[in-house]
Amino acid sequence: MIDFSLTDEQKALQELARDFAQNEIAPVAPELDRTGAYPYDLLNQAHKLGLLNLTIEDAYGGGGLGWLEACIVGEELAAACAGVTTAANANELALTPLHLAASEEQKEKFIAPIARDGGLAAFCVTEPGAGSDVVAMRTRAVKSGDEYVLNGTKHFITNGAVAHLLTVFAVTDPEKKHRGMSLFAVPADTPGITRTHMGEKMGHRASDTAEIVFQDARVPAANLIGKEGDGFKVAMETFDRTRIGIGAAGVGVARAALEASLKFVKERQQFGQPVANFQGLQFMLADMSIKIETARLAIYYAAWLTDHKLPYAYASAIAKAYGSDVAMEVTTDAVQLHGGYGYMADYKVEKYMRDAKLLQIYEGTNQIQRVIIARALLKD
Ligand SMILES: Cc1cc2nc3c(=O)[nH]c(=O)nc-3n(C[C@H](O)[C@H](O)[C@H](O)COP(=O)(O)OP(=O)(O)OC[C@H]3O[C@@H](n4cnc5c(N)ncnc54)[C@H](O)[C@@H]3O)c2cc1C
C-alpha cells in the first residue's frame, strides 16, 4: 500500500536535474546573486533538458508529469540556487491556470509558445493593496465589443519584466467580490502595458520581480480563460498545487545548507579538534536532518495526493508552510554552525538563509497557510 521507492524514470529525472543543477547552476549562483542578472541561458538549457513546465500537458510542450516529479526536480534546482528555481517555477505557476481552465484552442495558442518553444510567462495576481487579501484586487477588465479593456497595477510579479505571456487576474464584476474575478491570457507586448523592475531583493536575486501597469490595455474577448467569474477559483486551485513546489524548494535549500555545514564542522578546528566533535553541534545537525527528512515526506505526500486526484489543499498548505519553515530554521542554524564565517558572503550559507526567507512569504504567506490548515481543522 505504501511504497517509498522512486521509479526508474523518477530516479533518472532526479539525476538529470541534480547534474544540471550542480554542474551548470551552482557554479554561477554566487555571480547571479551578486549581479541580479536574469539566468536566460540556464532557463534555455533547462527547457532543452525538459526540466521546465513539468506538470503541463505534453501535447502543448509540457512534461506531462505529476507534482511528485516537479518536486523532485524543484528540490534539486533549489539546492543549487533558489533564485534560478523561482524564475523556473514562475513559468509553471503562470501556465497552471491555463492548464486547468483554458480550452484546447487556447492551450495551443497560449501554452505551446511558452512550453514548447521555450518562452517565459508570469502569473499576475498581487497588487499594491491586495496581497494575502486577493479579493481586494482593483485591476478591472471591462468588456468593450469583442475586447476587454484592462486597467490597474500588479506588483511583485516574478518574470514580470521578461515574460512573453502574462496570466492576469482582474475584476469583471466588482459587486460579486470573489465571484466577480476573471482570468485573461495577455501577450506581454500588448499596447498599454508598462513593465518595470522593482527594487533590489534580499535573496532570489537571479529572479526578476516587476511591477506591471495596465492602462487601457485591450485584449480580445477570446483571451478570457474559462467563464467570467472563474478567476478566483482557478487562482486558488493553482496555488493549492504550485505551493507544494515551494516546500520542495525549501527542502533543496535546507539540504544544501546541511551539506555545507557537515563539510565545515569536520574541517574547522577549535580547542585542538574539529568542531564536529562537540555534541551541542551534533544535536543541531541531527535536528536539521530530522526537519529535512520529515519535510520531504510531507511534500511527497501532498504531491502524491494531487497526482492521484485526492483532496490535497490541506496537505499542500502543510507542505508549503513546513518545507519553507524548515528551510528558514535549517539555514539559520547553518550560519550559526559556521560561526563568523557563516556571516560572510564567501560562504554559501548566508545566501541560503536570505533565500529561505522568501519561501515563507510568496504563494501565500505561512500565516495564510496556517489559516487554511486551521479552517480545515475547525470545519464541522
Ligand atoms: C520576490 C517576490 C516574488 C513574488 N512573485 C509573485 C508572482 O509571481 N505573482 C504574484 O501574483 N505575486 C507574487 N508575489 C507576491 C506574494 O505572493 C505576496 O507578497 C504575498 O502573498 C503576501 O502579500 P503582501 O506582500 O501584500 O503581504 P500582506 O498580505 O500585506 O501581509 C502582511 C503580513 O500580514 C499577514 N497577514 C495577512 N493576512 C493575514 C491573515 N488573514 N491572518 C494572519 N496573518 C495575515 C501576512 O502573513 C504578513 O505577515 C511575490 C512576492 C515577492 C516578494
Side-chain angles (χ1 to χ4, degrees):
M1 193 170 87
I2 294 178
D3 184 353
F4 288 100
S5 53
L6 299 181
T7 63
D8 288 345
E9 289 78 16
Q10 287 164 341
K11 280 189 215 155
L13 184 67
Q14 187 177 45
E15 203 178 306
L16 178 74
R18 187 169 297 173
D19 285 350
F20 172 65
Q22 294 306 320
N23 297 329
E24 306 298 331
I25 301 179
V28 295
E31 170 81 4
L32 294 175
D33 180 50
R34 209 166 30 251
T35 61
Y38 191 80
Y40 287 106
D41 281 355
L42 290 172
L43 292 186
N44 245 328
Q45 288 182 59
H47 173 252
K48 286 187 184 134
L49 289 170
L51 296 173
L52 295 185
N53 314 309
L54 286 160
T55 64
I56 305 301
E57 291 134 288
D58 45 7
Y60 305 106
L65 296 169
W67 277 98
L68 183 54
E69 284 81 6
C71 289
I72 289 168
V73 170
E75 177 184 328
E76 295 306 327
L77 300 188
C81 179
V84 173
T85 312
T86 286
N89 282 352
N91 252 31
E92 191 127 28
L93 173 64
L95 296 186
T96 297
L98 306 180
H99 168 73
L100 291 173
S103 66
E104 300 304 308
E105 197 184 326
Q106 288 173 324
K107 286 180 182 177
E108 185 54 47
K109 184 163 180 200
F110 299 119
I111 295 182
I114 306 298
R116 195 178 290 151
D117 306 337
L120 295 169
F123 175 92
C124 309
V125 161
T126 305
E127 300 184 0
S132 302
D133 184 7
V134 171
V135 179
M137 87 169 41
R138 298 179 63 173
T139 296
R140 284 296 311 270
V142 176
K143 188 105 187 269
S144 166
D146 56 0
E147 291 179 323
Y148 281 91
V149 185
L150 270 62
N151 279 288
T153 300
K154 299 287 178 185
H155 82 169
F156 290 152
I157 305 304
T158 303
N159 279 355
V162 296
H164 306 98
L165 178 75
L166 312 174
T167 46
V168 180
F169 294 82
V171 176
T172 41
D173 186 345
E175 300 294 309
K176 291 190 178 158
K177 305 234 160 112
H178 66 281
R179 290 202 177 83
M181 195 183 293
S182 304
L183 166 62
F184 298 89
V186 181
D189 59 2
T190 301
I193 295 179
T194 314
R195 304 186 285 164
T196 320
H197 289 285
M198 293 181 74
E200 293 208 350
K201 298 192 289 289
M202 177 191 286
H204 295 242
R205 290 164 52 84
S207 71
D208 163 63
T209 311
E211 177 178 85
I212 306 181
V213 177
F214 299 87
Q215 216 170 5
D216 292 330
R218 292 175 169 270
V219 293
N223 292 25
L224 171 72
I225 306 297
K227 300 189 299 298
E228 272 196 21
D230 284 353
F232 183 78
K233 189 168 157 276
V234 175
M236 295 305 119
E237 273 182 34
T238 298
F239 284 138
D240 284 344
R241 289 161 190 242
T242 56
R243 61 173 50 123
I244 308 170
I246 307 301
V251 170
V253 174
R255 192 186 90 196
L258 175 60
E259 281 164 9
S261 301
L262 288 169
K263 183 168 178 290
F264 182 87
V265 296
K266 285 189 229 166
E267 286 168 7
R268 175 70 179 161
Q269 301 268 333
Q270 285 295 281
F271 300 97
Q273 55 189 311
V275 295
N277 285 358
F278 302 131
Q279 198 178 46
L281 300 199
Q282 291 175 6
F283 281 9
M284 284 174 74
L285 291 164
D287 283 336
M288 289 157 85
S289 192
I290 289 169
K291 289 172 185 174
I292 292 167
E293 298 287 353
T294 52
R296 189 183 289 113
L297 288 179
I299 286 147
Y300 281 9
Y301 177 56
W304 181 87
L305 287 175
T306 311
D307 293 341
H308 285 80
K309 301 191 179 4
L310 293 164
Y312 56 86
Y314 168 76
S316 88
I318 292 175
K320 194 273 180 183
Y322 189 55
S324 55
D325 284 349
V326 159
M328 197 68 246
E329 289 162 18
V330 167
T331 56
T332 305
D333 281 351
V335 170
Q336 190 68 22
L337 285 167
H338 279 70
Y341 299 98
Y343 204 69
M344 307 306 288
D346 283 349
Y347 286 75
K348 293 185 273 191
V349 287
E350 66 85 36
K351 174 180 185 302
Y352 298 149
M353 187 174 161
R354 288 186 283 111
D355 284 342
K357 190 67 226 172
L358 180 61
L359 304 173
Q360 295 182 304
I361 294 172
Y362 65 3
E363 295 204 31
T365 66
N366 283 4
Q367 282 79 21
I368 293 301
Q369 303 314 311
R370 286 174 170 83
V371 169
I372 295 168
I373 295 162
R375 199 177 285 151
L377 292 174
L378 295 167
K379 205 165 128 190
D380 285 335

